[in-house]
Amino acid sequence: MALVSPGWGAAVLPVAAGVAYSRVHTGAHWPSDVLLGSGVGVLAAVLTKGWGPD
């Protein structure tokens, strides 16, 4: 979202970070799972930026 709309990206970042933290805090995921998943998501967003219509 931050690549398309930096303002919305900044607004959503704390929510995403809270969800990521909660997954580790509740024991649903290891910290490495959350970090790797976040990295894969960022990489996918960067690689596919511009694939859709303008």
Side-chain angles (χ1 to χ4, degrees), residues 2 8-9 12 18-19 22 24-25 31-33 36-38 42 44-45 47 53-54:
W8 276 107
V12 173
V19 170
S22 74
V24 174
H25 183 75
S32 58
D33 296 340
L36 185 62
S38 298
V42 168
L47 291 176
D54 289 335

Side-chain angles (χ1 to χ4, degrees), residues 19 21-31 33-34:
V19 170
Y21 171 76
S22 74
R23 301 304 291 169
V24 174
H25 183 75
T26 61
H29 291 287
W30 291 97
D33 296 340
V34 173

